[in-house]
Amino acid sequence: MGALLSLPLLVLPSVGTLWTVLASCCGAATCSAVCSACGKCQSSTATRIAYALILLVNSILSWIMLTPWAVKKLEHLTIDYMKISCNGGDCYGYVAVHRLNFGLGLFHVLLAVILLGVKSSKDGRAAIQNGYWGPKIVGWIGLVILTFFIPESFFFIWGNYFALAGALLFLLLGLILLVDLAHTWAEYCLEKIEFHDSRAWRTLLIGSTLGSYVASLALTIVMYIFFAAKGCSMNQAAITVNLLLFLIVSAVSVHPVIQEYNPQAGLAQSAMVAIYCTYLTMSAVSMEPDEKQCNPLLRSTGTRTASVVMGAIVTMLTIAYTTTRAATQGFAMGNKKNGANYAQLDSEEPEHGLVSQQPSARRQMRAEALRAAVEEGSLPATALDDSDDESDDDNSKSKDDEKYATQYNYTLFHVIFLLATAWVATLLTTDAGKPEDFPKFAPVGRTYWYSWVKIVSSWVCYGIYTWTLAAPAVMPGRFNH
């Protein structure tokens, strides 16, 4: 993947072929290595990791191309003989970042269209999602190269309107998923406690709730001490509003009216939302510029370049993980809560692998017992996919967990990755300053714009969570009350 750093050079025919071959081989080898390393994983898991790696690499390249550092290093390799330019302009900066992310976004758009309607790995197009990594890497790089031939004026319109809209949708989706995760976690713990009378789960639920509240209060105190000095009105307001909101939602979650219509609501969900929103506020005040002497972290001693690099890499890793999780979570995809959309077993259902091998009498009885248990609801349908060494006749290293139904919607998966590329581009280019202002690397997210995005996001998250609490009481007909 290191060869991808020379993407601007690809517009030069003399070296384009060489770099394309090297980059595509490295990219294909990386993805193949991921799939091989995940031999004990489900095939869908390895696929998601590979796409996350592509997004991670593209994001890091976008960050590097934000400043002239990479271009100057490439020119220095030619002993300053070759001057790199793109259509007579610079190959770095605002437009270069949008070119890279537009290329990857277009890559995901094409895959979303191609994979529309795929229901299982029996569909021939499923192989495009889970394999053909070499051609897909070449296609990704080719699309990025083509973006360098698009006039700059297009990317100013794209970045100011379309990418910004996609970024906001991506943020909103992440907040909705966080609230859904809070409810899912609490309901899962309550189910374990209610049906199994598990002391361990009760301790875990109470401990996580108390721990989240203690951590939220501790972070709030730290923010007041270090980031709310005299004259830091923005930080003071953000910290105070966050404290008031997490106290309000906690009180609302245990209000008698809310409990009457939504008995599973409680402090467990509120605690998770509170710690996440407090973290967002902490991140906002700790990443703002230090123009008003309100951010002591920027005045701390240490290697500034190392801090910037580590911050950028951590940010990109977080985006890649969040995107992959959002793209495959059942709430976003419209899947059933059990994960896979297994069809109801009946006489017309295609024979399952366990019962299509003419097994011995003992295995025949076991297979029939499993099938009966699944039909009665005693076991999940995934139990039929479990096979031991005796039934594993192909000795494959990876397990096809999508033979009868995909684990997630392929098209929506790529749509969410498209939104993620819009968010990365917007994050890197909005109010980021001039590329010449940074001799090496530009800090990621160290702007007032990004700080306010996080602050407002925390408020929106509180609002979404409060609505999930109040909705059953406001619209009881919709929730069978």
Side-chain angles (χ1 to χ4, degrees):
M1 285 294 185
L4 291 177
L5 293 176
S6 59
L7 283 175
L9 278 174
L10 292 170
V11 300
L12 302 175
S14 58
V15 293
T17 303
L18 176 61
W19 285 120
T20 300
V21 171
L22 289 175
S24 62
C25 289
C26 292
T30 301
C31 292
S32 298
V34 169
C35 295
S36 298
C38 291
K40 294 183 179 180
C41 302
Q42 305 285 8
S43 62
S44 61
T45 302
T47 296
R48 284 172 275 182
I49 294 174
Y51 281 114
L53 285 176
I54 292 176
L55 176 63
L56 176 63
V57 170
N58 196 84
S59 301
I60 293 177
L61 288 175
S62 300
W63 168 63
I64 292 175
M65 296 305 296
L66 191 59
T67 64
W69 178 84
V71 173
K72 289 181 179 179
K73 287 294 183 181
L74 291 172
E75 291 177 342
H76 184 66
L77 291 177
T78 66
I79 317 178
D80 296 327
Y81 174 78
M82 181 182 297
K83 299 298 180 182
I84 301 174
S85 64
C86 298
N87 287 336
D90 295 327
C91 294
Y92 59 86
Y94 178 95
V95 175
V97 171
H98 278 290
R99 291 184 194 277
L100 289 171
N101 286 282
F102 180 78
L104 181 58
L106 187 58
F107 170 77
H108 283 292
V109 168
L110 293 176
L111 287 177
V113 174
I114 293 173
L115 298 171
L116 187 65
V118 174
K119 299 298 184 181
S120 70
S121 60
K122 294 180 180 180
D123 191 317
R125 292 175 295 163
I128 300 176
Q129 170 76 359
N130 301 310
Y132 296 106
W133 291 107
K136 283 192 292 191
I137 295 294
V138 172
W140 162 40
I141 297 175
L143 290 172
V144 170
I145 297 172
L146 289 177
T147 63
F148 282 86
F149 294 96
I150 300 175
E152 289 189 358
S153 57
F154 168 82
F155 290 102
F156 286 108
I157 298 175
W158 174 264
N160 290 331
Y161 300 100
F162 296 98
L164 179 60
L168 295 177
L169 285 175
F170 180 77
L171 289 176
L172 180 61
L173 176 64
L175 297 177
I176 294 174
L177 291 175
L178 185 279
V179 173
D180 180 67
L181 175 63
H183 284 292
T184 302
W185 162 252
E187 291 171 3
Y188 182 76
C189 291
L190 291 173
E191 180 182 345
K192 290 291 185 180
I193 295 171
E194 181 179 355
F195 292 101
H196 301 282
D197 193 22
S198 174
R199 179 175 299 178
W201 281 101
R202 182 179 289 106
T203 302
L204 181 61
L205 180 62
I206 297 175
S208 62
T209 301
L210 292 177
S212 296
Y213 274 121
V214 170
S216 298
L217 291 173
L219 287 177
T220 301
I221 294 172
V222 168
M223 286 189 287
Y224 272 122
I225 295 174
F226 293 100
F227 300 98
K230 184 178 180 180
C232 303
S233 56
M234 169 185 163
N235 292 356
Q236 293 170 354
I239 298 168
T240 302
V241 170
N242 178 76
L243 176 61
L244 292 175
L245 287 177
F246 98 62
L247 292 176
I248 290 172
V249 298
S250 298
V252 170
S253 67
V254 294
H255 192 277
V257 175
I258 299 299
Q259 288 294 311
E260 178 183 355
Y261 288 91
N262 191 359
Q264 290 190 319
L267 295 177
Q269 299 94 320
S270 301
M272 183 176 291
V273 172
I275 186 62
Y276 178 73
C277 292
T278 303
Y279 157 75
L280 285 179
T281 305
M282 177 77 175
S283 179
V285 299
S286 65
M287 289 296 290
E288 69 174 343
D290 196 33
E291 297 174 359
K292 299 180 180 180
Q293 300 294 304
C294 296
N295 191 349
L297 293 181
L298 297 186
R299 300 191 299 273
S300 61
T301 58
T303 305
R304 182 60 59 86
T305 300
S307 175
V308 171
V309 171
M310 289 302 298
I313 292 176
V314 169
T315 300
M316 299 310 172
L317 281 170
T318 303
I319 292 174
Y321 169 77
T322 303
T323 304
T324 306
R325 176 178 170 273
T328 55
Q329 186 160 324
F331 178 83
M333 299 297 95
N335 290 346
K336 297 178 182 179
K337 288 188 176 181
N338 62 357
N341 288 328
Y342 284 88
Q344 183 178 0
L345 293 173
D346 54 37
S347 59
E348 298 180 358
E349 181 70 21
E351 287 186 327
H352 196 276
L354 277 178
V355 294
S356 62
Q357 303 170 14
Q358 296 181 356
S360 63
R362 182 178 179 181
R363 292 198 50 77
Q364 179 74 35
M365 294 175 61
R366 177 178 179 273
E368 291 178 355
L370 278 175
R371 189 180 182 90
V374 169
E375 291 176 343
E376 293 174 357
S378 302
L379 291 175
T382 51
L384 290 175
D385 284 334
D386 297 331
S387 58
D388 53 23
D389 295 337
E390 295 179 7
S391 62
D392 190 10
D393 56 351
D394 56 0
N395 293 321
S396 60
K397 293 182 179 180
S398 62
K399 181 180 178 182
D400 183 6
D401 57 341
E402 299 183 316
K403 185 175 182 181
Y404 292 100
T406 58
Q407 298 294 308
Y408 54 93
N409 186 302
Y410 289 169
T411 295
L412 289 178
F413 176 90
H414 290 288
V415 169
I416 293 176
F417 267 79
L418 167 65
L419 298 179
T421 62
W423 167 239
V424 170
T426 303
L427 170 63
L428 292 175
T429 58
T430 302
D431 197 25
K434 297 180 180 180
E436 292 76 11
D437 296 339
F438 309 103
K440 289 186 178 181
F441 303 111
V444 177
R446 198 167 292 170
T447 63
Y448 283 114
W449 176 86
Y450 189 43
S451 293
W452 273 111
V453 165
K454 289 190 172 184
I455 292 171
V456 174
S457 294
S458 69
W459 298 347
V460 173
C461 187
Y462 281 125
I464 294 173
Y465 173 65
T466 303
W467 172 247
T468 63
L469 296 177
V474 175
M475 299 182 298
R478 292 283 302 273
F479 297 89
N480 299 323
H481 285 290

